[in-house]
Amino acid sequence: PLREIIKRLENVYCNHIGVEYMHINNLDQINWIRERLETPGALELETVEKRLLLARISRSIGFESFLAKKWTAEKRFGLEGVEMLIPCMKQVIDRSTELGVECVVMGMPHRGRLNVLANVCRKPLEQILTQFSGLEAADEGSGDVKYHLGTYIERLNRATNKNIRLSVVANPSHLEAANPIVEGKVRAEQFYRGDTEGKKCMSMLLHGDAAFAGQGV
């Protein structure tokens, strides 16, 4: 009946999550998103999944809270208000690993980079936190600001029990300049792995709305 159809659509589109996809030109992509949203029970999680989600978002919020209290006046481009990015990225990586992806190269803006390095890539916290202590006079090199730095790490994905290689490219202030670098790194990984179908190595590009103007890239 019409009442049930309206109720189901209201639960999908008028609830806690908003989705914009009708601007996409590819009809197959639109139908793919619509199918996954409108299928009954698609947005419901099992208890194990809820606990995993809670643990991940708690680590994300806890990291930001610690930095905010410890270095109150330090510029760090925190992730406050968008902490859900961390569980989202980890879910993408988990699912990709299940489907055979062995390497993920990421490009992203300054905001949230430290949290991604800590909670997605699992870069050792001591390496991240030492960036908040200025270089001593005896230290060599000038280094770079902490929210420009990337990482490269290979670790066990505990959710899938498979090894995954994660890389975040270093970012200049000119954000979109990182995009071709990410694509090039992925192409090189695919070449040296003999990945002719592009199923073992993938890129993940994250940028804020303002960056999508292109900035000449």
Side-chain angles (χ1 to χ4, degrees):
L2 180 60
R3 186 184 294 111
E4 287 187 16
I5 295 173
I6 293 174
K7 184 178 180 182
R8 183 191 296 179
L9 292 176
E10 284 180 342
N11 285 336
V12 173
Y13 295 106
C14 303
N15 217 315
H16 305 296
I17 300 174
V19 186
E20 294 183 22
Y21 62 90
M22 294 308 294
H23 63 282
I24 299 174
N25 294 324
N26 189 316
L27 185 60
D28 290 336
Q29 293 179 3
I30 289 177
N31 289 333
W32 187 89
I33 296 172
R34 180 188 289 132
E35 181 183 330
R36 275 151 184 77
L37 283 173
E38 297 182 4
T39 302
L43 301 179
E44 295 176 6
L45 298 175
E46 296 179 1
T47 304
V48 175
E49 295 173 318
K50 288 180 179 178
R51 285 177 176 164
L52 179 61
L53 176 60
L54 177 62
R56 287 174 168 177
I57 200 167
S58 296
R59 281 196 291 268
S60 173
I61 294 172
F63 182 78
E64 293 297 340
S65 300
F66 172 75
L67 295 184
K69 290 177 182 177
K70 183 74 174 174
W71 291 280
T72 310
E74 190 78 24
K75 186 189 287 187
R76 56 186 174 81
F77 290 99
L79 199 59
E80 287 93 342
V82 204
E83 291 92 346
M84 193 61 199
L85 174 69
I86 301 302
C88 178
M89 290 181 69
K90 290 177 79 73
Q91 180 63 29
V92 170
I93 292 170
D94 289 350
R95 183 68 179 136
S96 302
T97 310
E98 288 176 7
L99 297 174
V101 171
E102 300 171 355
C103 170
V104 179
V105 182
M106 293 170 271
M108 64 176 297
H110 303 339
R111 190 160 305 283
R113 172 174 291 258
L114 297 179
N115 209 317
V116 168
L117 293 177
N119 287 314
V120 176
C121 300
R122 296 293 177 86
K123 184 175 182 177
L125 286 176
E126 59 268 23
Q127 292 182 20
I128 297 174
L129 299 181
T130 51
Q131 295 296 321
F132 284 91
S133 309
L135 291 170
E136 299 294 332
D139 291 340
E140 294 183 7
S142 60
D144 197 356
V145 287
K146 49 196 161 295
Y147 44 83
H148 279 186
L149 300 175
T151 193
Y152 171 86
I153 196 163
E154 187 164 347
R155 65 172 179 81
L156 180 70
N157 186 334
R158 289 181 292 195
T160 58
N161 208 31
K162 293 182 179 179
N163 277 332
I164 182 77
R165 181 180 294 178
L166 301 173
S167 171
V168 179
V169 300
N171 236 16
S173 295
H174 190 72
L175 294 181
E176 294 291 306
N179 290 0
I181 307 299
V182 171
E183 302 294 339
K185 287 191 70 171
V186 170
R187 184 68 186 88
E189 287 277 4
Q190 290 172 344
F191 177 80
Y192 285 110
R193 289 169 182 265
D195 181 16
T196 55
E197 296 183 352
K199 292 184 176 180
K200 293 182 180 178
C201 185
M202 64 175 257
S203 61
M204 192 185 299
L205 293 171
L206 298 89
H207 285 296
D209 296 348
F212 279 110
Q215 298 186 345
V217 179

PDB file of all heavy atoms in Angstrom, residues 22-42:
ATOM      1  N   MET A  22      21.144  12.508  -6.856  1.00  0.00           N
ATOM      2  CA  MET A  22      20.395  12.693  -8.101  1.00  0.00           C
ATOM      3  C   MET A  22      21.111  13.602  -9.093  1.00  0.00           C
ATOM      4  O   MET A  22      20.729  13.690 -10.254  1.00  0.00           O
ATOM      5  CB  MET A  22      18.994  13.246  -7.802  1.00  0.00           C
ATOM      6  CG  MET A  22      18.105  12.273  -7.027  1.00  0.00           C
ATOM      7  SD  MET A  22      17.997  10.629  -7.774  1.00  0.00           S
ATOM      8  CE  MET A  22      17.137  11.004  -9.299  1.00  0.00           C
ATOM      9  N   HIS A  23      22.167  14.291  -8.650  1.00  0.00           N
ATOM     10  CA  HIS A  23      22.930  15.142  -9.571  1.00  0.00           C
ATOM     11  C   HIS A  23      23.911  14.325 -10.416  1.00  0.00           C
ATOM     12  O   HIS A  23      24.473  14.840 -11.382  1.00  0.00           O
ATOM     13  CB  HIS A  23      23.717  16.188  -8.772  1.00  0.00           C
ATOM     14  CG  HIS A  23      24.749  15.569  -7.866  1.00  0.00           C
ATOM     15  ND1 HIS A  23      24.409  14.988  -6.663  1.00  0.00           N
ATOM     16  CD2 HIS A  23      26.087  15.420  -7.994  1.00  0.00           C
ATOM     17  CE1 HIS A  23      25.508  14.531  -6.083  1.00  0.00           C
ATOM     18  NE2 HIS A  23      26.532  14.773  -6.873  1.00  0.00           N
ATOM     19  N   ILE A  24      24.115  13.054 -10.063  1.00  0.00           N
ATOM     20  CA  ILE A  24      25.061  12.203 -10.800  1.00  0.00           C
ATOM     21  C   ILE A  24      24.502  11.916 -12.191  1.00  0.00           C
ATOM     22  O   ILE A  24      23.316  11.635 -12.356  1.00  0.00           O
ATOM     23  CB  ILE A  24      25.306  10.890 -10.025  1.00  0.00           C
ATOM     24  CG1 ILE A  24      25.916  11.195  -8.649  1.00  0.00           C
ATOM     25  CG2 ILE A  24      26.220   9.953 -10.810  1.00  0.00           C
ATOM     26  CD1 ILE A  24      26.059   9.979  -7.751  1.00  0.00           C
ATOM     27  N   ASN A  25      25.359  11.989 -13.197  1.00  0.00           N
ATOM     28  CA  ASN A  25      24.915  11.808 -14.582  1.00  0.00           C
ATOM     29  C   ASN A  25      24.774  10.344 -14.981  1.00  0.00           C
ATOM     30  O   ASN A  25      24.098  10.034 -15.957  1.00  0.00           O
ATOM     31  CB  ASN A  25      25.899  12.492 -15.547  1.00  0.00           C
ATOM     32  CG  ASN A  25      25.902  14.000 -15.376  1.00  0.00           C
ATOM     33  OD1 ASN A  25      24.854  14.589 -15.112  1.00  0.00           O
ATOM     34  ND2 ASN A  25      27.068  14.615 -15.517  1.00  0.00           N
ATOM     35  N   ASN A  26      25.432   9.460 -14.244  1.00  0.00           N
ATOM     36  CA  ASN A  26      25.440   8.040 -14.602  1.00  0.00           C
ATOM     37  C   ASN A  26      24.243   7.337 -13.946  1.00  0.00           C
ATOM     38  O   ASN A  26      24.163   7.229 -12.725  1.00  0.00           O
ATOM     39  CB  ASN A  26      26.756   7.405 -14.140  1.00  0.00           C
ATOM     40  CG  ASN A  26      26.932   5.999 -14.670  1.00  0.00           C
ATOM     41  OD1 ASN A  26      26.000   5.189 -14.648  1.00  0.00           O
ATOM     42  ND2 ASN A  26      28.134   5.702 -15.155  1.00  0.00           N
ATOM     43  N   LEU A  27      23.305   6.847 -14.773  1.00  0.00           N
ATOM     44  CA  LEU A  27      22.087   6.226 -14.250  1.00  0.00           C
ATOM     45  C   LEU A  27      22.393   4.945 -13.474  1.00  0.00           C
ATOM     46  O   LEU A  27      21.737   4.650 -12.466  1.00  0.00           O
ATOM     47  CB  LEU A  27      21.123   5.921 -15.398  1.00  0.00           C
ATOM     48  CG  LEU A  27      19.750   5.374 -14.992  1.00  0.00           C
ATOM     49  CD1 LEU A  27      19.023   6.367 -14.102  1.00  0.00           C
ATOM     50  CD2 LEU A  27      18.923   5.035 -16.222  1.00  0.00           C
ATOM     51  N   ASP A  28      23.402   4.189 -13.897  1.00  0.00           N
ATOM     52  CA  ASP A  28      23.772   2.953 -13.199  1.00  0.00           C
ATOM     53  C   ASP A  28      24.238   3.260 -11.774  1.00  0.00           C
ATOM     54  O   ASP A  28      23.911   2.537 -10.828  1.00  0.00           O
ATOM     55  CB  ASP A  28      24.878   2.213 -13.959  1.00  0.00           C
ATOM     56  CG  ASP A  28      24.373   1.623 -15.268  1.00  0.00           C
ATOM     57  OD1 ASP A  28      23.152   1.388 -15.369  1.00  0.00           O
ATOM     58  OD2 ASP A  28      25.197   1.412 -16.177  1.00  0.00           O
ATOM     59  N   GLN A  29      25.013   4.341 -11.620  1.00  0.00           N
ATOM     60  CA  GLN A  29      25.491   4.724 -10.294  1.00  0.00           C
ATOM     61  C   GLN A  29      24.326   5.183  -9.411  1.00  0.00           C
ATOM     62  O   GLN A  29      24.270   4.849  -8.219  1.00  0.00           O
ATOM     63  CB  GLN A  29      26.539   5.843 -10.417  1.00  0.00           C
ATOM     64  CG  GLN A  29      27.829   5.391 -11.083  1.00  0.00           C
ATOM     65  CD  GLN A  29      28.838   6.524 -11.213  1.00  0.00           C
ATOM     66  OE1 GLN A  29      28.593   7.643 -10.761  1.00  0.00           O
ATOM     67  NE2 GLN A  29      29.963   6.247 -11.849  1.00  0.00           N
ATOM     68  N   ILE A  30      23.392   5.923  -9.988  1.00  0.00           N
ATOM     69  CA  ILE A  30      22.220   6.366  -9.232  1.00  0.00           C
ATOM     70  C   ILE A  30      21.416   5.165  -8.733  1.00  0.00           C
ATOM     71  O   ILE A  30      21.034   5.096  -7.559  1.00  0.00           O
ATOM     72  CB  ILE A  30      21.324   7.273 -10.113  1.00  0.00           C
ATOM     73  CG1 ILE A  30      22.012   8.616 -10.338  1.00  0.00           C
ATOM     74  CG2 ILE A  30      19.958   7.494  -9.457  1.00  0.00           C
ATOM     75  CD1 ILE A  30      21.238   9.546 -11.256  1.00  0.00           C
ATOM     76  N   ASN A  31      21.178   4.211  -9.622  1.00  0.00           N
ATOM     77  CA  ASN A  31      20.403   3.023  -9.243  1.00  0.00           C
ATOM     78  C   ASN A  31      21.134   2.189  -8.196  1.00  0.00           C
ATOM     79  O   ASN A  31      20.513   1.584  -7.325  1.00  0.00           O
ATOM     80  CB  ASN A  31      20.095   2.179 -10.484  1.00  0.00           C
ATOM     81  CG  ASN A  31      19.075   2.859 -11.384  1.00  0.00           C
ATOM     82  OD1 ASN A  31      18.259   3.648 -10.920  1.00  0.00           O
ATOM     83  ND2 ASN A  31      19.129   2.561 -12.677  1.00  0.00           N
ATOM     84  N   TRP A  32      22.468   2.140  -8.289  1.00  0.00           N
ATOM     85  CA  TRP A  32      23.278   1.388  -7.323  1.00  0.00           C
ATOM     86  C   TRP A  32      23.097   1.970  -5.924  1.00  0.00           C
ATOM     87  O   TRP A  32      22.879   1.246  -4.950  1.00  0.00           O
ATOM     88  CB  TRP A  32      24.745   1.436  -7.743  1.00  0.00           C
ATOM     89  CG  TRP A  32      25.654   0.572  -6.941  1.00  0.00           C
ATOM     90  CD1 TRP A  32      25.980  -0.730  -7.178  1.00  0.00           C
ATOM     91  CD2 TRP A  32      26.378   0.954  -5.751  1.00  0.00           C
ATOM     92  NE1 TRP A  32      26.858  -1.176  -6.207  1.00  0.00           N
ATOM     93  CE2 TRP A  32      27.121  -0.182  -5.333  1.00  0.00           C
ATOM     94  CE3 TRP A  32      26.475   2.128  -5.019  1.00  0.00           C
ATOM     95  CZ2 TRP A  32      27.935  -0.155  -4.210  1.00  0.00           C
ATOM     96  CZ3 TRP A  32      27.290   2.153  -3.894  1.00  0.00           C
ATOM     97  CH2 TRP A  32      28.013   1.018  -3.506  1.00  0.00           C
ATOM     98  N   ILE A  33      23.171   3.316  -5.827  1.00  0.00           N
ATOM     99  CA  ILE A  33      23.002   3.972  -4.528  1.00  0.00           C
ATOM    100  C   ILE A  33      21.572   3.805  -4.031  1.00  0.00           C
ATOM    101  O   ILE A  33      21.325   3.482  -2.860  1.00  0.00           O
ATOM    102  CB  ILE A  33      23.367   5.470  -4.634  1.00  0.00           C
ATOM    103  CG1 ILE A  33      24.852   5.623  -4.984  1.00  0.00           C
ATOM    104  CG2 ILE A  33      23.064   6.192  -3.316  1.00  0.00           C
ATOM    105  CD1 ILE A  33      25.258   7.047  -5.305  1.00  0.00           C
ATOM    106  N   ARG A  34      20.619   4.019  -4.933  1.00  0.00           N
ATOM    107  CA  ARG A  34      19.208   3.928  -4.544  1.00  0.00           C
ATOM    108  C   ARG A  34      18.872   2.528  -4.028  1.00  0.00           C
ATOM    109  O   ARG A  34      18.176   2.364  -3.014  1.00  0.00           O
ATOM    110  CB  ARG A  34      18.317   4.268  -5.738  1.00  0.00           C
ATOM    111  CG  ARG A  34      16.831   4.197  -5.408  1.00  0.00           C
ATOM    112  CD  ARG A  34      15.983   4.347  -6.651  1.00  0.00           C
ATOM    113  NE  ARG A  34      16.032   5.704  -7.163  1.00  0.00           N
ATOM    114  CZ  ARG A  34      16.257   6.009  -8.436  1.00  0.00           C
ATOM    115  NH1 ARG A  34      16.492   5.049  -9.308  1.00  0.00           N
ATOM    116  NH2 ARG A  34      16.252   7.252  -8.836  1.00  0.00           N
ATOM    117  N   GLU A  35      19.388   1.511  -4.705  1.00  0.00           N
ATOM    118  CA  GLU A  35      19.102   0.128  -4.303  1.00  0.00           C
ATOM    119  C   GLU A  35      19.620  -0.159  -2.904  1.00  0.00           C
ATOM    120  O   GLU A  35      18.949  -0.802  -2.104  1.00  0.00           O
ATOM    121  CB  GLU A  35      19.738  -0.832  -5.317  1.00  0.00           C
ATOM    122  CG  GLU A  35      19.486  -2.296  -5.024  1.00  0.00           C
ATOM    123  CD  GLU A  35      20.192  -3.206  -6.020  1.00  0.00           C
ATOM    124  OE1 GLU A  35      20.380  -2.788  -7.177  1.00  0.00           O
ATOM    125  OE2 GLU A  35      20.575  -4.324  -5.629  1.00  0.00           O
ATOM    126  N   ARG A  36      20.812   0.353  -2.610  1.00  0.00           N
ATOM    127  CA  ARG A  36      21.400   0.084  -1.299  1.00  0.00           C
ATOM    128  C   ARG A  36      20.751   0.896  -0.184  1.00  0.00           C
ATOM    129  O   ARG A  36      20.817   0.519   0.981  1.00  0.00           O
ATOM    130  CB  ARG A  36      22.912   0.349  -1.358  1.00  0.00           C
ATOM    131  CG  ARG A  36      23.661  -0.857  -1.874  1.00  0.00           C
ATOM    132  CD  ARG A  36      24.942  -0.519  -2.600  1.00  0.00           C
ATOM    133  NE  ARG A  36      25.528  -1.745  -3.139  1.00  0.00           N
ATOM    134  CZ  ARG A  36      25.073  -2.361  -4.233  1.00  0.00           C
ATOM    135  NH1 ARG A  36      24.034  -1.884  -4.893  1.00  0.00           N
ATOM    136  NH2 ARG A  36      25.651  -3.477  -4.669  1.00  0.00           N
ATOM    137  N   LEU A  37      20.129   1.996  -0.541  1.00  0.00           N
ATOM    138  CA  LEU A  37      19.448   2.802   0.475  1.00  0.00           C
ATOM    139  C   LEU A  37      18.022   2.326   0.721  1.00  0.00           C
ATOM    140  O   LEU A  37      17.566   2.269   1.858  1.00  0.00           O
ATOM    141  CB  LEU A  37      19.412   4.273   0.030  1.00  0.00           C
ATOM    142  CG  LEU A  37      20.701   5.066   0.187  1.00  0.00           C
ATOM    143  CD1 LEU A  37      20.543   6.425  -0.462  1.00  0.00           C
ATOM    144  CD2 LEU A  37      21.075   5.213   1.645  1.00  0.00           C
ATOM    145  N   GLU A  38      17.313   1.985  -0.356  1.00  0.00           N
ATOM    146  CA  GLU A  38      15.882   1.727  -0.249  1.00  0.00           C
ATOM    147  C   GLU A  38      15.535   0.275   0.045  1.00  0.00           C
ATOM    148  O   GLU A  38      14.383  -0.048   0.307  1.00  0.00           O
ATOM    149  CB  GLU A  38      15.183   2.201  -1.526  1.00  0.00           C
ATOM    150  CG  GLU A  38      15.301   3.706  -1.739  1.00  0.00           C
ATOM    151  CD  GLU A  38      14.571   4.188  -2.978  1.00  0.00           C
ATOM    152  OE1 GLU A  38      13.902   3.358  -3.635  1.00  0.00           O
ATOM    153  OE2 GLU A  38      14.675   5.385  -3.297  1.00  0.00           O
ATOM    154  N   THR A  39      16.520  -0.632  -0.016  1.00  0.00           N
ATOM    155  CA  THR A  39      16.251  -2.014   0.340  1.00  0.00           C
ATOM    156  C   THR A  39      15.904  -2.103   1.823  1.00  0.00           C
ATOM    157  O   THR A  39      16.650  -1.574   2.660  1.00  0.00           O
ATOM    158  CB  THR A  39      17.488  -2.902   0.050  1.00  0.00           C
ATOM    159  OG1 THR A  39      17.818  -2.794  -1.336  1.00  0.00           O
ATOM    160  CG2 THR A  39      17.207  -4.357   0.393  1.00  0.00           C
ATOM    161  N   PRO A  40      14.807  -2.728   2.195  1.00  0.00           N
ATOM    162  CA  PRO A  40      14.422  -2.818   3.619  1.00  0.00           C
ATOM    163  C   PRO A  40      15.533  -3.431   4.474  1.00  0.00           C
ATOM    164  O   PRO A  40      16.108  -4.463   4.118  1.00  0.00           O
ATOM    165  CB  PRO A  40      13.188  -3.740   3.586  1.00  0.00           C
ATOM    166  CG  PRO A  40      12.628  -3.567   2.218  1.00  0.00           C
ATOM    167  CD  PRO A  40      13.810  -3.357   1.306  1.00  0.00           C
ATOM    168  N   GLY A  41      15.846  -2.766   5.567  1.00  0.00           N
ATOM    169  CA  GLY A  41      16.870  -3.266   6.479  1.00  0.00           C
ATOM    170  C   GLY A  41      18.288  -2.915   6.085  1.00  0.00           C
ATOM    171  O   GLY A  41      19.239  -3.290   6.778  1.00  0.00           O
ATOM    172  N   ALA A  42      18.458  -2.160   4.982  1.00  0.00           N
ATOM    173  CA  ALA A  42      19.806  -1.849   4.501  1.00  0.00           C
ATOM    174  C   ALA A  42      20.582  -0.990   5.493  1.00  0.00           C
ATOM    175  O   ALA A  42      21.808  -1.080   5.575  1.00  0.00           O
ATOM    176  CB  ALA A  42      19.727  -1.154   3.151  1.00  0.00           C
TER     177      ALA A  42
END
